[in-house]
Amino acid sequence: MTDQRLLHGQWSSRLAFILAASGSAIGLGNIWKFPYLLGENGGGAFVLVYLACVVGIGLPIMMAETMLGRRGRQSPINTMAALAEEAGVHRAWRYVGWLGVAAGFLILSYYSVIAGWSMAYIFKMGGGFLNNVTPQMAQQTFQDIKAAPDVQLVWHTAFMAATVLIVSKGVSQGLERVARLMMPGLFLMLLALDIYAAGTSGFSQGMSFLFKPEFSKLTGESLLVAMGQAFFSLGLGMGSIMVYGSYLPDHVSIGRSSIFVATADTLVALMAGVAIFPVVFSNQLAPGMGPGLIFESLPLAFGHMPGGSLFGTLFFILVFFAAITSAIALIEPAVAWLSENRSLSRVRASIYAGFACWFLGLGTLISFSHGASVTWFGKTLFELVDFITADLMLPAGGILIAVFAGWIVKKQESAQELELGSYFCYWRILIRYVAPLSVFIIFAHAMGLL
Ligand code: TRP
């Protein structure tokens, strides 16, 4: 055990863990993905289902996953193997770790391409190209980037290189410092955007779109998407938070830290929604336009507010930081495993894993331009990879983690780890029954079985 700790390093404090875990949770999922998914899925009802999934499924699984990590103290694959052995259950449980590593690779491969878009926008904003922009110009700017694989390749490569550089430095050094600055900055910037949005003509329409549920707009697939987004945004089901838990000192309360992280994550997603939809409606944009939503709408807000190009530049810099602290979490399980089992140095392990993600990402990159007409089940490669990871692999990993933590880990041990006091019985009910059954029912419903 001691060896693993030396190999991994440990968070220096409770605050360091909270920063890192929020860094993993808060990312493109909150600022880019949540708004466009809720736009595509009809607004308020989607938001409600999402919130229910965060509280009833996500939060208990976040505690469970962190706890398993701290008990195992290794990469997710080895942690699951060790805990299964300790509990006397089948070794096949270690495949939960493998499922996670695979999901992390696939997610990061496209995550990096989208993060590349936000890097491109740092320079668009900074160069003043989007001052006083019209909705048509904002749309054109985004379409131009989407249609240019060479430009995206440069940014995708730069983003993966930056990720590898930080990951190779180890958990506490590179990461803690970045997260400490980024989080408060992002929060303030979103607040400023929300205040701006409150003064636009589309504000009330935007707010009722966000917060007035129309359940007739919910389909089986949108339930699945809302649940997948809860896993994605909290960063659950693939070992990210498990590996962070493995660096967590024993005295930190997992229960309280998880509640904090889940609250911060949800708040940031909602604040992004409040910033974006009023601008969308003020400019007669389509809320369901898909992955381009923030890139076509936010420049309109920045382009018309005083000091907009400065704020816009800062905003996309912060989005870049938010993305990179999540990217690190996505790749960390693989890097931890490579350095434990293949005795590679962290530097080498990071380079290999980063290269693999970069390579996979080329597929996504092409799927936005030349490959846009290549589809499977009506989905482009990007949409397919996103669906398989967020909506299938993460919830499946989440169920397995819930079952392991709720049914295999001894009650007394989990009570001790989580330190939830009298709330512990609620966690037990959620993790043993509510979370696995809800995921199962939503799967079945989406497949048309229920
Ligand atoms: N939660 C991050 C975001 O919202 C992305 C992320 C980090 C993630 N770790 C993860 C997604 C693990 C799924 C699983 O941008």
Side-chain angles (χ1 to χ4, degrees):
M1 277 236 197
T2 329
D3 290 344
Q4 295 302 345
R5 287 187 201 190
L6 286 179
L7 192 62
H8 277 159
Q10 214 179 69
W11 305 115
S12 56
S13 64
R14 170 178 139 92
L15 180 68
F17 170 73
I18 287 190
L19 282 172
S22 328
S24 159
I26 298 170
L28 296 175
N30 308 60
I31 298 160
W32 160 75
K33 202 172 185 203
F34 178 74
Y36 92 75
L37 288 181
L38 87 88
E40 283 179 340
N41 289 279
F46 180 90
V47 176
L48 262 188
V49 176
Y50 173 78
L51 293 176
C53 289
V54 167
V55 176
I57 306 175
L59 187 56
I61 291 184
M62 182 179 258
M63 295 179 189
E65 199 176 325
T66 314
M67 168 181 88
L68 296 184
R70 184 159 72 181
R71 296 189 63 77
R73 291 260 179 240
Q74 300 167 58
S75 72
I77 296 172
N78 294 338
T79 283
M80 289 310 293
L83 294 180
E85 197 177 43
E86 190 184 297
V89 293
H90 202 281
R91 273 181 64 74
W93 277 100
R94 72 181 187 285
Y95 291 117
V96 175
W98 280 109
L99 180 75
V101 167
F105 268 77
L106 288 170
I107 293 175
L108 184 54
S109 74
Y110 76 72
Y111 204 84
S112 168
V113 176
I114 312 294
W117 294 351
S118 57
M119 289 169 86
Y121 269 76
I122 296 174
F123 294 90
K124 294 265 175 225
M125 283 286 166
F129 298 114
L130 292 163
N131 286 348
N132 295 317
V133 50
T134 62
Q136 289 71 26
M137 279 156 62
Q139 259 165 7
Q140 196 55 47
T141 305
F142 177 69
Q143 297 305 334
D144 287 348
I145 291 183
K146 220 171 77 165
D150 49 342
V151 176
Q152 293 183 66
L153 180 64
V154 172
W155 294 118
H156 168 54
T157 308
F159 185 78
M160 276 314 309
T163 304
V164 166
L165 195 73
I166 298 182
V167 174
S168 63
K169 289 208 185 302
V171 280
S172 54
Q173 292 211 336
L175 233 91
E176 288 190 28
R177 230 171 289 154
V178 172
R180 207 173 283 247
L181 276 176
M182 178 217 95
M183 235 82 68
L186 192 65
F187 188 81
L188 286 180
M189 195 55 80
L190 280 172
L191 202 63
L193 275 173
D194 286 347
I195 293 169
Y196 172 82
T200 60
S201 59
F203 185 65
S204 62
Q205 205 185 344
M207 293 316 261
S208 58
F209 181 76
L210 267 170
F211 296 115
K212 217 166 107 199
E214 282 182 50
F215 287 100
S216 58
K217 289 188 178 162
L218 273 188
T219 61
E221 173 145 358
S222 47
L223 284 180
L224 181 63
V225 172
M227 176 182 71
Q229 173 61 11
F231 278 98
F232 186 95
S233 188
L234 296 170
L236 301 178
M238 60 134 289
S240 263
I241 201 81
M242 197 184 288
V243 83
Y244 279 12
S246 77
Y247 311 135
L248 187 59
D250 288 323
H251 57 85
V252 174
S253 154
I254 291 178
R256 250 178 302 155
S257 316
S258 303
I259 292 174
F260 180 88
V261 173
T263 310
D265 185 68
T266 307
L267 202 63
V268 170
L270 291 175
M271 284 171 81
V274 170
I276 287 162
F277 285 99
V279 176
V280 165
F281 290 111
S282 307
N283 292 283
Q284 283 88 41
L285 302 177
M289 73 167 83
L293 186 65
I294 69 160
F295 297 101
E296 293 187 19
S297 60
L298 287 183
L300 290 167
F302 289 124
H304 296 275
M305 67 170 79
S309 63
L310 178 66
F311 284 140
T313 313
L314 263 176
F315 176 80
F316 282 102
I317 291 176
L318 288 165
V319 172
F320 163 74
F321 280 127
I324 207 153
T325 53
S326 300
I328 289 161
L330 283 162
I331 207 173
E332 180 65 23
V335 171
W337 182 80
L338 281 173
S339 40
E340 280 167 18
N341 287 48
R342 293 285 173 266
S343 26
L344 293 177
S345 66
R346 267 197 81 87
V347 175
R348 261 173 201 270
S350 319
I351 292 175
Y352 292 162
F355 181 79
C357 291
W358 175 84
F359 186 75
L360 283 174
L362 299 180
T364 293
L365 205 155
I366 287 295
S367 81
F368 287 111
S369 50
H370 303 302
S373 56
V374 185
T375 57
W376 296 267
F377 311 105
K379 294 185 190 307
T380 64
L381 186 65
F382 158 68
E383 290 163 344
L384 193 70
V385 174
D386 179 35
F387 178 74
I388 291 175
T389 51
D391 299 344
L392 302 181
M393 291 171 92
L394 298 181
I399 286 200
L400 293 169
I401 287 167
V403 168
F404 195 93
W407 295 87
I408 296 175
V409 175
K410 292 199 188 66
K411 185 173 171 184
Q412 213 201 335
E413 286 171 7
S414 44
Q416 228 170 37
E417 290 276 354
L418 298 181
E419 293 183 38
L420 286 167
S422 56
Y423 294 106
F424 178 73
C425 58
Y426 299 113
W427 176 82
R428 276 277 283 184
I429 295 171
L430 289 173
I431 206 77
R432 282 163 75 98
Y433 305 102
V434 177
L437 279 177
S438 327
V439 174
F440 188 75
I441 291 170
I442 292 175
F443 270 165
H445 185 60
M447 289 190 300
L449 300 177
L450 277 176

